[in-house]
Amino acid sequence: MLSASDLAGRLAQNAEAVCRHYLSAGRRAGNYWLVGDVDNNKGRSLYVHLVGPRAGRWTDAATGQFGDLLDLLRETCGLVDFRDVAEEARHFLSLPQPEAVSDVRGDVGDASPVERPATEQARRLFRMTQPLAGTLADIYLRERGILRASTHAALRFHPSCYYRNFMTGRTTSYPALIAAVTDDAGVITGVHRTYLSPGLDPNGVGKAKLDDPRRALGGLLGNGVRFRFPVNASAPVLVAGEGLETMLSLSHVMPGMPMVAALTANHLAAFNVPTECRRLYIAADADAAGRHGIEGLSRRAQECGILPLVLSPELGDFNEDLRWLGPDQMTASLRLQLTPEDAVTFLPR
C-alpha cells in the first residue's frame, strides 16, 4: 500500500514542477521557491525547499504554516479529505492507477499541521473565489431573471471548484456559484456551492449534470446566506426563506429589504432570527418540507414575540413569478401581502 510519505516523496522529487503548477505567482530563488502564501498571492513569505534532504518542505514565515507538498496541495486546492488530496497528487504525478494511500507520515518529528475544521475550510474556499460580475455564475442567475446578483457581497464565483463523487470517491471540478453562510454577527460559518455546467449548452448555463449539484460546507444550523443586511446585522423587518434563487428573486423586486436564505427547510425552521426583529416574513415553499420549515420558524418567532407573516408566490415559487409573470406583477402581488408600512418602504412606487 502506498503511504502518504511515499506519495509526498514522489512530489518532492518534482518539487519545482509542483510549485510552478500550484504556486504560479512565485519564482525560484536559488534552492527555494518563493511566493506570498498558499493562496498563490505574490510575495516572499512562503518558501519551499527545492533540493536536498528537505526538498518539498515549506514554511510560511508570516502565518507559521508548514508541511510537505501533500499539505501544500491540500491548502492550495481547498481540499478537506485526505483521499481527495491523494487523488490530486496522483493526478499531478500521472500515476497509472489509483493506489490505496494511508495517511501515515514517516517523519513524525516534522509532522504536518492538523486537518482544518469544516468552518475554516469554508472560509478558505470563499477567500479563493472571485467577484461574481460577468462570470458564468452571474450569467446563470441572469438567465433566471436575477439581474443584480453581483451587488450582493455574499455571492462569489469559483471557476474550478472541487467536487467529490461520494459513491466512487473520484474528484472532478466544475465552475460554481459560491454563497457565504454567516451567523447573526456577520461571521462566515460555511459556504454553499451550486455547481454549474461549463457554459457550452445551447440552452444556456444550468446546474452541472450531477446527482447533487448543490452542496454545503461548514456550519449552517441557525445561519444563512444574507442579503442587504446592515453592517451590525440588525434588521427589525426581514424576509427568510429556503433557496438562493427564491430569495434573490424577492430581493430583485425589494432591493432594500434584508433577506436570508437558510438553504433547506430544516435549516429554515432552525434559523436564528435577530433579536432586533419585530416582523418576520417567511417566503413560502409549496412542498411538505417547505411547510415544515415555515411552521417551525413561525412557532419559534412567536415564542420570541416576533410577528411571522407568510409570503406566497402565485406560481410554483418566487423565481417562477419573476421569470414568467415579470417584476411588475410580482410587485403587485407582494404589495397585497406586506403590511402597508413595509409596502411603502420596500416596494417601488
Side-chain angles (χ1 to χ4, degrees):
M1 181 167 61
L2 187 64
S3 72
S5 294
D6 293 334
L7 194 54
R10 296 193 189 194
L11 291 170
Q13 293 171 10
N14 300 274
E16 184 170 352
V18 172
C19 291
R20 290 190 180 278
H21 182 78
Y22 294 97
L23 298 174
S24 57
R27 62 182 180 84
R28 180 164 185 162
N31 293 331
Y32 300 92
W33 187 267
L34 303 180
V35 72
D37 52 34
V38 291
D39 291 326
N40 197 27
N41 292 310
K42 292 182 179 180
R44 299 170 57 88
S45 69
L46 189 151
Y47 57 93
V48 185
H49 295 265
L50 299 180
V51 297
R54 291 185 58 77
R57 294 288 177 174
W58 60 275
T59 300
D60 189 332
T63 65
Q65 292 173 286
F66 64 93
D68 59 22
L69 290 179
L70 284 177
D71 299 309
L72 186 68
L73 265 61
R74 182 190 64 195
E75 295 292 331
T76 57
C77 296
L79 300 174
V80 177
D81 296 332
F82 179 76
R83 182 184 299 181
D84 296 336
V85 179
E87 176 99 8
E88 178 67 21
R90 286 194 298 265
H91 177 73
F92 177 82
L93 294 167
S94 300
L95 294 180
Q97 295 293 335
E99 302 179 61
V101 180
S102 63
D103 188 10
V104 178
R105 312 294 173 111
D107 186 1
V108 295
D110 194 8
S112 62
V114 177
E115 190 74 66
R116 295 183 176 208
T119 295
E120 190 172 350
Q121 289 285 347
R123 292 170 184 164
R124 172 171 168 71
L125 176 58
F126 195 73
R127 292 197 301 268
M128 296 170 66
T129 59
Q130 62 189 59
L132 190 72
T135 66
L136 203 65
D138 193 16
I139 296 172
Y140 166 79
L141 293 171
R142 284 178 174 273
E143 289 178 351
R144 284 147 186 79
I146 301 165
L147 306 182
R148 295 187 289 271
S150 62
T151 64
H152 297 293
L155 301 179
R156 304 274 290 182
F157 175 67
H158 196 302
S160 186
C161 189
Y162 278 84
Y163 175 89
R164 180 182 171 192
N165 186 312
F166 293 134
M167 297 296 293
T168 66
R170 296 192 63 83
T171 301
T172 51
S173 60
Y174 295 88
L177 168 65
I178 308 293
V181 177
T182 56
D183 61 17
D184 56 7
V187 176
I188 294 178
T189 62
V191 292
H192 183 269
R193 296 157 289 182
T194 303
Y195 292 96
L196 305 175
S197 64
L200 303 178
D201 191 327
N203 295 321
V205 180
K207 290 188 286 290
K209 292 178 173 58
L210 301 167
D211 291 337
D212 50 350
R214 299 182 189 270
R215 284 186 177 177
L217 172 66
L220 271 66
L221 190 65
N223 306 315
V225 182
R226 287 169 161 82
F227 307 115
R228 298 290 183 258
F229 263 68
V231 175
N232 62 2
S234 64
V237 180
L238 69 91
V239 183
E242 285 186 49
L244 283 176
E245 291 168 31
T246 289
M247 303 315 296
L248 285 169
S249 299
L250 283 167
S251 184
H252 182 81
V253 298
M254 293 190 289
M257 173 78 85
M259 301 195 182
V260 63
L263 302 175
T264 71
N266 286 335
H267 287 103
L268 179 63
F271 174 65
N272 291 327
V273 183
T275 56
E276 301 84 358
C277 183
R278 292 295 173 264
R279 201 156 46 250
L280 172 68
Y281 292 99
I282 306 175
D285 199 320
D287 59 17
R291 289 192 293 274
H292 163 75
I294 293 171
E295 291 168 0
L297 184 56
S298 295
R299 183 168 55 253
R300 291 179 58 248
Q302 289 174 328
E303 291 171 354
C304 296
I306 300 169
L307 175 64
L309 300 166
V310 176
L311 298 179
S312 300
E314 293 192 54
L315 301 178
D317 57 50
F318 283 108
N319 188 243
E320 288 187 8
D321 281 11
L322 180 62
R323 295 167 68 186
W324 305 119
L325 303 180
D328 290 343
Q329 186 168 336
M330 186 174 170
T331 297
S333 175
L334 290 170
R335 195 179 301 278
L336 298 176
Q337 301 183 62
L338 298 177
T339 66
E341 175 187 355
D342 293 336
V344 170
T345 302
F346 297 108
L347 288 175
R349 299 178 182 179

